[in-house]
Amino acid sequence: MLRFVGKKAKNLIRNSCVLQRLSPFPFQSSSAFLSTFNNNPSSSSDSNSLMAHNYSQSPVTLDTINPKIKKCQYAVRGEIVTLAQNLQQELLQKPGSHPFDEIIYCNIGNPHSLGQQPITFFREVLALCDHPAILDKSETQGLFSADSIERAFQILDQIPSRATGAYSHSQGIKGLRDTIAAGIEVRDGFPANPNDIFLTDGASPAVHMMMQLLISSESDGIFCPIPQYPLYSASIALHGGTLVRYYLDEATGWGLEVSELKNQLEKARSQGTNVRALVVINPGNPTGQVLSEENQREIVEFCKKEGLVLLADEVYQENVYVPDKQFHSFKKVARGMGYGEKDISLVSFQSVSKGYYGECGKRGGYMEVTGFSPEIREQIYKVASVNLCSNISGQILASLVMSPPKVGDESYESYFAEKDGILTSMARRAKTLEAALNSLEGVTCNRAEGAMYLFPCIQLPQKAIKAAEAAHTAPDAFYCHKLLNATGVVVVPGSGFGQVPGTWHFRCTILPQEDRIPAIVERLTKFHKEFMDEFRD
Amino acid sequence: MLRFVGKKAKNLIRNSCVLQRLSPFPFQSSSAFLSTFNNNPSSSSDSNSLMAHNYSQSPVTLDTINPKIKKCQYAVRGEIVTLAQNLQQELLQKPGSHPFDEIIYCNIGNPHSLGQQPITFFREVLALCDHPAILDKSETQGLFSADSIERAFQILDQIPSRATGAYSHSQGIKGLRDTIAAGIEVRDGFPANPNDIFLTDGASPAVHMMMQLLISSESDGIFCPIPQYPLYSASIALHGGTLVRYYLDEATGWGLEVSELKNQLEKARSQGTNVRALVVINPGNPTGQVLSEENQREIVEFCKKEGLVLLADEVYQENVYVPDKQFHSFKKVARGMGYGEKDISLVSFQSVSKGYYGECGKRGGYMEVTGFSPEIREQIYKVASVNLCSNISGQILASLVMSPPKVGDESYESYFAEKDGILTSMARRAKTLEAALNSLEGVTCNRAEGAMYLFPCIQLPQKAIKAAEAAHTAPDAFYCHKLLNATGVVVVPGSGFGQVPGTWHFRCTILPQEDRIPAIVERLTKFHKEFMDEFRD
């Protein structure tokens, strides 16, 4: 099934060589998406004949499109996923054609796709806000909890004309921002201002908005952890900036050392890069570490001293699995140090896609923007206004996750049981997978303190590395492709996230449902043993 | 209430002068958004003290942000809306403080905000998909129509794992794209391919995606009608391209003359601009005309001959109010001329925000991308994948508007009555407002054949133009501000859309509910008479 042949292979090598010098992502190539449009057996003849058309007259060619788009890569939905989709089609058409019955997508933090159930209270409120006509019908009392009905009424009262079908204020409905700000205050113990909240269609558009604001040209740099979540590298590439790397220290559980920040900043500046902002992902993606408060204080101090905007990706704030660690928002840490509006520019990103809710399909999220002058905030508002507003269901859900049922509410017990069930199960799954990975020959895996991922390091034998070279692919991608073909398990090569040169990793989510974990561990263990038997030096 | 004083006024003049040379939008200035963050009386002290902070140490200033953002303007949510929001707050705090009781927002095509009700069937299906747990409860039969329950089951069956909370394929759920493609086939009588559909959070992100693809630098031009919907000028500015204007001919009901296209193209090319695409908005925004099929054929021929991508904004395809005009998609027209995939690159934009449904808050829409090579399509897919997917409720709604209830379905009669009620009422409102505007001294208004707007031309007396100059504002903005302050009616100055230099217009939606129209006409007529009495030469 591997398709590394001919021209495509040549492209892969070329891109791999070029990128290995320029970026931390040696594997991804633009051909990763090639088969997206012809892998579906049900597509019409019009589609299947696409390839046969002669587009030589087309006004749009690879040479005439925006080169920033060509440069942008996004591994999480890259080539390995396309290969997996092809396998899935083949399994549908020819059951039994592969040594597994199904594809298990561990490439992306998409909990509901793997069977996680939504939180009932949240969905009740969303359904009632979608169809308020049923709110005062008697049957509704039988179908919905009393507090979901009450909450839906409250929310509708906050919406001008009670119109969930209208564009809202471009930052989001004011009443929902009030609720979110109140939730942040409860979380942090420091004031939050609803006018600092910008509701967005998930965290990704918020990140893009900040990149668009901060990047004027290639000489503007954004400091990113390596390994990083490739949204950052993709967004920086799309906006034409420079990704400035700082490496997390795998030996100390993916520690973030300020000395490393200092060294890399100095180096970037000496090369003429104007570093504008520092991205910190806490809990870490793909690395799963939870920063200590002390470490966060150092980071805040560093940003303040060096004049960097702190872009805090805090979308996994509810996903902490170890008793010795706790999530602290960077705003809480900064305010606790006595730093206010004028001292530090800080943006915190939150999403409804993660946490125990995992509502990826709702595309809800917000950014809390503090420490920017009114002139700059009006520019951010203007960019938000060009897209009018984010989707109202996502806005409502963002308010719900920041203000869930409380003790005494009718839904509280079932809500708490659902939440606790998901989080404790995630913690168990993380532990089981971590232990399984650590038991494999040549594999070491740091503990998943938080987030939804494991990022094990594989010491690949030289023979495997040579085989990968011969197959014109990166060694970690070689391993992941073999794993997919043998087991149906989809993981993402570390090269998609960046890693210390010469080390190899992959990212695997902890999201398959618990009854599936033993089989996954068994398949993974068997595959790894066979792989090592084949390639052991 | 007008706040044209001091530094702000100077900025306005400066921007106005610069922009009058560079762009068709002489009025908009970046200070339009200034008061967004301090106009809310309920904001916390943290917010109110924003102005008092000293941001001199801030790493982000107007001089260090992306200049493309500063250049970008979006009149539809610009200064006049901020002024209106201020007035609304004042009315809340001090009822009776203005000569009107409420603000009527005619600045934006946002039907539900003015009382339009959602289509029941659509909302039923959305609510059931949000909370599928109630689908097989007996009470549900009493609350929801049988066909909405059936449709929800169908849609859930099309979603992998039936998970409406999961990220979907980055182009949108395949089954929903199948439904949309089938709807396009019924509409056009020509095949449509689900793999050509990209579902998006409304049409705006789709437009941005195409601009991002086509614009590499300032030398890339996008051909836009003048007047235009300012999403286009904003998006072109954000992506650093050049807006190349072609003027619609007001004298012939905003006719689109190919001779004008030829002249302007030649001129742009002689100035070194590489014109990549032609934007056509049909039915027109803000101009309301519906193109004839003959005219569309000329446009297709022109794009094919000149190697331009045809970007067809067809979001008002259901909004046609006159019996002598009909909507034809550009794809239908092109295919009817015998032009297929290889002959013309054509993108059609559709949205759930317009039509009779007007579901702006749902942020649903799609683009149908035809006539691009597989290599280019994979680049478009890659950009879509960086944002993972559009919101699932919006995706579902996009499938519903392209496949509403059919004769014989339980909901059909109520659905048809709701749809017909909205569209025939819109047609009546358009006619009434058009007649009222045409009856005003010095005002001429073309007929609203389609879309949701009227765009009357006002012959302003010299005395008014001089008064506007003295107030450091554009004459049409001067008129609109006076109108707002006298009546509470918000309309957008023509300068926000572009107009032939020396002519003045405003855009007014036809969306206030019918029982409000007589009062609006009365207020408008009274204001205009008084304005003319004050300024008549």
Side-chain angles (χ1 to χ4, degrees):
Chain A
M1 262 310 296
L2 289 176
R3 296 180 175 189
F4 301 116
V5 286
K7 195 177 158 199
K8 193 170 169 188
K10 280 185 206 147
N11 282 340
L12 275 173
I13 305 172
R14 199 182 54 226
N15 288 347
S16 178
C17 298
V18 175
L19 286 167
Q20 228 147 5
R21 262 176 291 129
L22 293 178
S23 94
F25 320 111
F27 177 63
Q28 294 304 308
S29 92
S30 64
S31 39
F33 300 84
L34 192 62
S35 45
T36 306
F37 295 101
N38 58 347
N39 67 358
N40 196 319
S42 68
S43 56
S44 73
S45 61
D46 200 37
S47 163
N48 288 334
S49 62
L50 245 184
M51 290 299 199
H53 287 308
N54 175 3
Y55 286 91
S56 58
Q57 302 298 311
S58 174
V60 187
T61 67
L62 279 184
D63 293 331
T64 64
I65 65 166
N66 181 355
K68 292 171 192 157
I69 286 187
K70 279 186 284 184
K71 202 178 160 192
C72 159
Q73 301 299 343
Y74 187 63
V76 170
R77 289 221 158 171
E79 181 163 40
I80 190 137
V81 180
T82 307
L83 292 174
Q85 287 167 343
N86 289 348
L87 290 181
Q88 194 165 24
Q89 286 301 335
E90 289 172 14
L91 280 175
L92 260 176
Q93 287 161 52
K94 272 197 195 174
S97 57
H98 291 280
F100 44 84
D101 296 331
E102 52 165 358
I103 301 293
I104 300 172
Y105 288 96
C106 297
N107 58 301
I108 190 166
N110 193 8
H112 292 212
S113 75
L114 293 173
Q116 184 178 309
Q117 291 305 301
I119 300 294
T120 306
F121 176 81
F122 295 167
R123 291 303 191 95
E124 285 180 328
V125 177
L126 289 180
L128 291 168
C129 290
D130 263 345
H131 191 35
I134 62 170
L135 265 170
D136 44 20
K137 298 270 174 70
S138 61
E139 294 97 328
T140 304
Q141 317 276 339
L143 282 178
F144 294 83
S145 62
D147 53 340
S148 72
I149 295 173
E150 198 189 321
R151 183 72 76 97
F153 270 119
Q154 274 170 18
I155 288 171
L156 289 167
D157 284 343
Q158 291 170 334
I159 303 179
S161 312
R162 304 168 68 93
T164 52
Y167 294 128
S168 72
H169 186 287
S170 294
Q171 287 185 235
I173 291 160
K174 175 63 169 55
L176 301 179
R177 285 187 279 130
D178 290 340
T179 305
I180 290 169
I184 294 171
E185 288 188 0
V186 169
R187 183 193 69 194
D188 291 348
F190 288 97
N193 183 344
N195 291 333
D196 293 345
I197 310 290
F198 286 74
L199 283 151
T200 50
D201 290 313
S204 305
V207 169
H208 286 311
M209 229 190 281
M210 291 311 301
M211 294 300 173
Q212 194 165 33
L213 182 83
L214 294 171
I215 297 172
S216 302
S217 72
E218 227 175 324
S219 68
D220 287 319
I222 307 291
F223 229 158
C224 290
I226 297 298
Q228 54 108 29
Y229 173 48
L231 166 67
Y232 293 97
S233 49
S235 187
I236 293 166
L238 283 176
H239 293 100
T242 295
L243 187 150
V244 178
R245 299 167 218 177
Y246 65 91
Y247 285 90
L248 302 174
D249 182 19
E250 187 163 11
T252 58
W254 300 111
L256 198 170
E257 300 293 334
V258 171
S259 57
E260 164 73 1
L261 292 178
K262 281 183 188 155
N263 289 341
Q264 298 290 359
L265 181 64
E266 205 169 303
K267 198 169 133 198
R269 283 180 174 162
S270 73
Q271 290 167 348
T273 301
N274 177 18
V275 182
R276 307 297 316 270
L278 172 74
V279 172
V280 180
I281 311 174
N282 179 45
N285 176 6
T287 42
Q289 84 284 26
V290 177
L291 298 179
S292 71
E293 214 176 336
E294 173 54 28
N295 198 185
Q296 288 183 273
R297 278 193 289 266
E298 290 172 347
I299 294 164
V300 167
E301 202 61 58
F302 176 77
C303 287
K304 179 170 156 45
K305 184 170 165 243
E306 300 293 349
L308 301 178
V309 176
L310 177 48
L311 300 174
D313 182 334
E314 301 183 323
V315 302
Y316 296 100
Q317 56 190 262
E318 301 269 11
N319 299 99
V320 178
Y321 308 120
V322 290
D324 57 325
K325 288 288 180 87
Q326 213 185 323
F327 170 77
H328 303 282
S329 81
F330 269 102
K331 183 161 153 251
K332 173 183 166 183
V333 169
R335 295 293 179 267
M337 294 165 77
Y339 293 148
E341 263 293 319
K342 67 183 188 306
D343 301 305
I344 182 161
S345 303
L346 169 60
V347 182
S348 164
F349 302 99
Q350 164 67 323
S351 167
V352 304
S353 303
K354 308 304 171 185
Y356 56 90
Y357 19 91
E359 291 273 15
C360 303
K362 297 295 171 191
R363 311 310 291 125
Y366 70 79
M367 57 177 180
E368 186 188 10
V369 178
T370 58
F372 291 82
S373 68
E375 293 76 27
I376 298 302
R377 295 164 62 115
E378 87 184 61
Q379 296 293 323
I380 301 173
Y381 172 79
K382 186 175 64 178
V383 175
S385 80
V386 175
N387 277 334
L388 298 161
C389 67
S390 62
N391 84 85
I392 305 296
S393 292
Q395 291 190 26
I396 292 171
L397 188 51
S399 83
L400 296 175
V401 305
M402 297 307 286
S403 175
K406 287 169 190 54
V407 179
D409 293 347
E410 182 185 307
S411 290
Y412 181 76
E413 276 185 37
S414 67
Y415 154 77
F416 183 82
E418 289 172 355
K419 170 184 170 172
D420 191 55
I422 290 166
L423 288 176
T424 54
S425 164
M426 275 190 194
R428 282 193 302 268
R429 285 178 265 167
K431 228 174 161 52
T432 306
L433 285 169
E434 181 195 309
L437 287 164
N438 274 317
S439 75
L440 301 181
E441 176 184 356
V443 175
T444 49
C445 182
N446 277 317
R447 85 183 169 146
E449 299 174 343
M452 296 180 167
Y453 314 100
L454 293 160
F455 197 65
C457 180
I458 337 164
Q459 284 201 290
L460 290 172
Q462 278 305 314
K463 200 171 154 193
I465 292 172
K466 284 200 178 117
E469 271 167 23
H472 306 301
T473 185
D476 52 1
F478 180 76
Y479 180 91
C480 296
H481 286 137
K482 286 247 176 204
L483 173 66
L484 169 61
N485 281 297
T487 65
V489 176
V490 194
V491 298
V492 185
S495 38
F497 304 87
Q499 53 201 348
V500 170
T503 68
W504 307 108
H505 300 76
F506 62 84
R507 188 184 83 164
C508 177
T509 71
I510 57 168
L511 298 174
Q513 290 300 286
E514 231 168 334
D515 56 354
R516 318 287 295 282
I517 299 286
I520 292 172
V521 168
E522 193 185 321
R523 286 199 227 172
L524 192 64
T525 307
K526 179 166 175 283
F527 160 76
H528 188 78
K529 190 181 174 306
E530 286 168 6
F531 181 92
M532 293 304 281
D533 287 347
E534 184 177 351
F535 293 104
R536 197 177 291 106
D537 294 319
Chain B
M1 262 311 292
L2 289 175
R3 297 181 175 189
F4 301 116
V5 285
K7 196 177 157 199
K8 191 170 172 189
K10 279 186 207 146
N11 281 341
L12 274 172
I13 304 171
R14 199 183 54 230
N15 287 348
S16 178
C17 296
V18 175
L19 286 168
Q20 227 146 7
R21 262 176 290 129
L22 293 178
S23 92
F25 319 111
F27 177 63
Q28 294 304 308
S29 92
S30 64
S31 39
F33 299 86
L34 191 62
S35 45
T36 307
F37 296 101
N38 58 348
N39 66 358
N40 196 319
S42 68
S43 56
S44 74
S45 61
D46 200 38
S47 161
N48 288 336
S49 63
L50 243 185
M51 290 299 201
H53 287 308
N54 175 4
Y55 288 91
S56 58
Q57 303 297 313
S58 174
V60 187
T61 66
L62 278 183
D63 293 330
T64 64
I65 64 165
N66 181 355
K68 291 171 193 159
I69 285 187
K70 280 188 283 184
K71 202 177 162 193
C72 160
Q73 301 299 342
Y74 186 63
V76 169
R77 290 221 157 172
E79 180 163 41
I80 191 137
V81 180
T82 307
L83 292 174
Q85 287 167 344
N86 289 347
L87 289 181
Q88 194 165 24
Q89 286 300 334
E90 289 172 12
L91 281 175
L92 261 175
Q93 288 160 51
K94 274 198 196 177
S97 58
H98 291 280
F100 44 84
D101 297 332
E102 51 165 1
I103 302 293
I104 300 172
Y105 288 95
C106 297
N107 59 300
I108 190 166
N110 193 8
H112 292 213
S113 75
L114 294 173
Q116 183 177 309
Q117 292 305 301
I119 300 294
T120 306
F121 175 80
F122 295 167
R123 291 301 191 97
E124 286 180 328
V125 177
L126 288 180
L128 291 168
C129 290
D130 263 345
H131 192 33
I134 62 171
L135 266 169
D136 44 21
K137 297 273 173 68
S138 61
E139 294 96 329
T140 303
Q141 318 277 338
L143 282 178
F144 293 83
S145 62
D147 53 341
S148 72
I149 295 173
E150 197 189 323
R151 184 70 76 97
F153 271 119
Q154 274 171 19
I155 288 172
L156 289 167
D157 284 343
Q158 290 169 336
I159 301 179
S161 313
R162 303 168 69 93
T164 53
Y167 294 128
S168 71
H169 185 287
S170 294
Q171 288 185 235
I173 292 160
K174 175 62 168 57
L176 301 178
R177 287 187 277 130
D178 290 341
T179 305
I180 291 169
I184 294 171
E185 288 188 2
V186 169
R187 183 192 70 194
D188 292 347
F190 289 97
N193 182 344
N195 291 333
D196 292 345
I197 310 289
F198 286 74
L199 282 151
T200 50
D201 291 313
S204 304
V207 169
H208 286 310
M209 227 190 283
M210 291 311 299
M211 295 300 171
Q212 194 165 33
L213 182 85
L214 294 171
I215 297 172
S216 302
S217 73
E218 227 176 323
S219 68
D220 286 320
I222 307 291
F223 228 157
C224 291
I226 298 297
Q228 54 108 27
Y229 174 47
L231 166 67
Y232 294 97
S233 50
S235 187
I236 293 166
L238 283 175
H239 293 100
T242 296
L243 187 150
V244 178
R245 299 166 220 179
Y246 65 91
Y247 285 90
L248 302 173
D249 183 17
E250 187 162 13
T252 58
W254 300 112
L256 198 171
E257 300 293 334
V258 171
S259 58
E260 164 72 3
L261 292 178
K262 280 182 188 154
N263 290 340
Q264 298 291 359
L265 181 64
E266 205 171 299
K267 200 170 128 197
R269 284 180 174 163
S270 73
Q271 290 167 349
T273 301
N274 177 18
V275 182
R276 308 296 316 270
L278 173 73
V279 172
V280 180
I281 311 174
N282 179 45
N285 176 6
T287 42
Q289 83 284 26
V290 177
L291 298 178
S292 71
E293 213 176 337
E294 173 55 26
N295 198 184
Q296 289 183 272
R297 279 194 289 266
E298 290 172 348
I299 294 164
V300 168
E301 201 62 59
F302 176 78
C303 287
K304 179 171 156 45
K305 185 171 164 242
E306 300 293 349
L308 301 178
V309 176
L310 178 46
L311 299 175
D313 181 334
E314 300 182 325
V315 301
Y316 296 100
Q317 57 190 261
E318 301 268 12
N319 299 99
V320 178
Y321 308 120
V322 290
D324 55 326
K325 288 289 181 83
Q326 214 186 324
F327 169 78
H328 304 281
S329 79
F330 269 103
K331 183 160 154 251
K332 172 184 166 183
V333 169
R335 296 292 179 268
M337 294 166 77
Y339 294 148
E341 263 292 320
K342 68 184 186 310
D343 300 304
I344 181 160
S345 304
L346 169 60
V347 182
S348 165
F349 302 99
Q350 164 69 321
S351 168
V352 304
S353 304
K354 309 303 170 187
Y356 56 91
Y357 19 91
E359 291 272 17
C360 304
K362 297 295 173 192
R363 312 311 290 124
Y366 70 79
M367 57 177 181
E368 187 188 10
V369 178
T370 57
F372 290 82
S373 69
E375 292 78 24
I376 298 301
R377 296 164 62 114
E378 89 184 58
Q379 296 293 322
I380 301 173
Y381 172 80
K382 185 175 63 178
V383 175
S385 80
V386 176
N387 276 334
L388 299 160
C389 67
S390 62
N391 84 85
I392 305 297
S393 292
Q395 291 190 26
I396 292 171
L397 188 51
S399 83
L400 296 175
V401 306
M402 297 306 286
S403 175
K406 288 171 188 55
V407 179
D409 294 346
E410 182 184 306
S411 290
Y412 181 74
E413 276 185 39
S414 68
Y415 155 76
F416 183 81
E418 289 173 355
K419 169 184 172 173
D420 191 55
I422 290 166
L423 288 175
T424 55
S425 164
M426 276 190 193
R428 283 193 301 269
R429 287 178 264 169
K431 229 177 162 50
T432 306
L433 285 169
E434 178 196 313
L437 287 164
N438 274 318
S439 76
L440 302 180
E441 178 185 355
V443 173
T444 49
C445 181
N446 278 317
R447 98 185 156 139
E449 298 174 344
M452 295 180 169
Y453 314 101
L454 292 161
F455 198 65
C457 180
I458 338 164
Q459 284 200 293
L460 290 172
Q462 278 305 314
K463 202 171 151 191
I465 292 172
K466 283 196 180 123
E469 274 168 18
H472 306 300
T473 184
D476 52 1
F478 179 77
Y479 180 91
C480 295
H481 286 137
K482 286 247 175 205
L483 173 66
L484 169 61
N485 281 297
T487 65
V489 176
V490 195
V491 299
V492 185
S495 36
F497 304 87
Q499 52 201 350
V500 170
T503 69
W504 307 108
H505 299 77
F506 63 83
R507 187 185 83 164
C508 177
T509 72
I510 58 168
L511 297 174
Q513 290 300 286
E514 232 167 334
D515 55 354
R516 318 288 296 280
I517 299 285
I520 291 172
V521 167
E522 195 186 318
R523 287 198 226 173
L524 192 65
T525 307
K526 182 166 172 282
F527 161 77
H528 188 77
K529 191 181 171 306
E530 286 168 6
F531 181 92
M532 294 304 280
D533 287 347
E534 185 177 351
F535 293 104
R536 198 176 292 107
D537 295 319

